[in-house]
Amino acid sequence: MNICSEAHTPVYKITYKGAKGSKYKPEWLVCENCHEKKYFGAFDVVLNIEKLY
């Protein structure tokens, strides 16, 4: 599991589409600030965004 920064408090778990032909689906724990800045990809590559709390 990847995290935007160890100094940030994760609020979202974002799951992305893997590479074509791969079963691997990258997951990131992302804080509210980084999520709003759209550092973590366009919606066409996102499978799921889950709010952690």
Side-chain angles (χ1 to χ4, degrees):
M1 181 94 43
N2 300 301
I3 188 166
C4 60
S5 172
E6 290 186 23
H8 298 174
T9 302
V11 176
Y12 299 100
K13 178 178 151 185
I14 303 175
T15 306
Y16 295 92
K17 294 178 184 177
K20 192 173 185 177
S22 173
K23 293 182 181 181
Y24 174 66
K25 306 278 189 267
E27 294 181 336
W28 281 78
L29 296 177
V30 181
C31 72
E32 190 122 25
N33 290 335
C34 290
H35 181 261
E36 288 178 4
K37 294 178 183 176
K38 300 183 178 159
Y39 290 148
F40 292 93
F43 285 108
D44 61 333
V45 296
V46 173
L47 288 175
N48 187 36
I49 299 176
E50 178 183 337
K51 191 159 186 167
L52 299 175
Y53 53 90

